[in-house]
Amino acid sequence: MPEGHSIHRLARQFSDVFVGERLTVSSPQGRFVEGAALLDGRALESARAHGKQLFLGFEGGLSLHVHLGLYGAWDFGGDSTFRGASSIGAPRRVGEQEIADGGMSDGGTDDGGEAAYAGPPPPVGAVRVRLASEHGWADLRGATVCAVATDPEVEAVLARLGPDPLATAQPSQEPGEEFARRLARRRTPICRLLMDQSVIAGIGNVYRAELLFRARLDPATPGSSLGRERALALWADAVVALGQGLRDGRIVTTDPSFWSFPAGELPLLRDAHYVYRRHGEPCRVCTRTVLLADEAGRKLYWCPGCQAL
DNA sequence: TTTGGATGTAAAC
DNA sequence: TTTACCTCCAAAC
């Protein structure tokens, strides 16, 4: 699954390419026919993300609310003027980058620049929603939530979410302070609180493990025992880490000094993480064996040497 | 060809 | 705490 950085990339992509355009909305798969009909023919006015939730705001006060869940993804393409043909969402391989190419993608004809755009290609697989503008298209498949929402319904979703490290337009210090307050109230282990979207929105299993390692925090540490300083530091690191993911389209949490690859390039897959999916291997820092445990149904990775209480 | 995960969540027990 | 959702891909038969 796409963690918060992917959803913010999606919001940016929709803003860049589709906001201001009148869209045709359909459901080739057939599971969203009624919702698609409500939105079909309206202009897209906004695209915003909070945590892992995506809201596409159409004229007339209706939004398309999407949560990709574990395996949802959006694919984009269009004619030669379309920017940002790509695939953003559930990666098929660990560490996969979310950009295919920067320009033309197969839109029907392929005999050079003079060919007229024939519209989106026939849908491949189970396309829940297809959005199409004059020059491009976006396909959604596999989402856990795909619904038409009114403004009050959008507000209700936002109201149950904690602060988002990638949210812009928030007062600089306040979101971190809010995160610290939410941690302070709970004796639940920090490894569980980081995955709780009402405590902090946008963290998933990769960032959870990696942020805990970077903070050298024992995953079992109760939220209430972190204290304000460590909570604010954890928030600040989340802002940095997710910010890099937003920029790169890939989760890379290791310091470049750990990359066995020329400077200036993103690291090889195996160099991108400290502990995520590295159980049984030696810790990059202390050489102790990285451990794996089942934590509330999700896999938790940590180093017992670096992350001691 | 079948199986089993995967960067997730909510509903059912 | 477990199951169901729902899609694709890679690894195991």
Side-chain angles (χ1 to χ4, degrees), chain A residues 71-248:
Chain A
Y71 27 67
W74 284 95
D75 293 308
F76 297 90
D79 67 15
S80 58
T81 70
F82 184 84
R83 289 168 295 119
S86 60
S87 179
I88 300 178
R92 304 308 174 204
R93 300 176 299 279
V94 175
E96 183 179 19
Q97 194 162 11
E98 290 171 336
I99 289 236
D101 60 75
M104 170 118 181
S105 84
D106 185 359
T109 58
D110 58 356
D111 58 7
E114 290 305 307
Y117 174 55
V124 174
V127 176
R128 183 86 53 84
V129 179
R130 166 168 281 180
L131 306 178
S133 67
E134 191 180 346
H135 295 286
W137 50 267
D139 282 352
L140 171 68
R141 64 193 78 215
T144 233
V145 172
C146 174
V148 175
T150 62
D151 290 342
E153 288 169 335
V154 170
E155 289 308 312
V157 173
L158 293 173
R160 59 177 169 74
L161 297 174
D164 177 350
L166 290 178
T168 52
Q170 293 185 81
S172 53
Q173 294 299 332
E174 181 46 31
E177 297 285 356
E178 179 61 26
F179 170 64
R181 283 194 293 272
R182 293 186 185 209
L183 283 191
R185 282 186 224 135
R186 313 271 300 271
R187 271 181 287 193
T188 307
I190 185 64
C191 65
R192 201 172 292 200
L193 292 173
L194 280 183
M195 295 279 275
D196 183 337
Q197 302 299 304
S198 72
V199 171
I200 179 171
I203 306 295
N205 210 21
V206 180
Y207 280 124
R208 180 257 293 263
E210 296 295 301
L211 291 173
L212 287 174
F213 180 88
R214 282 158 55 126
R216 303 296 192 270
L217 270 172
D218 186 317
T221 308
S224 55
S225 70
L226 257 75
R228 180 171 170 273
E229 291 305 315
R230 283 197 293 175
L232 290 179
L234 188 55
W235 174 268
D237 194 43
V239 172
V240 169
L242 273 76
Q244 291 178 355
L246 173 60
R247 181 194 65 200
D248 299 336

Side-chain angles (χ1 to χ4, degrees), chain A residues 5-19 47-49 54 56 76 83 88 98-99 243-249:
Chain A
H5 68 296
S6 297
I7 314 310
H8 282 267
R9 288 176 70 82
L10 283 166
R12 189 170 64 186
Q13 167 74 357
F14 278 106
S15 294
D16 286 350
V17 175
F18 290 117
V19 166
R48 59 181 296 205
L54 177 69
L56 302 180
F76 297 90
R83 289 168 295 119
I88 300 178
E98 290 171 336
I99 289 236
Q244 291 178 355
L246 173 60
R247 181 194 65 200
D248 299 336

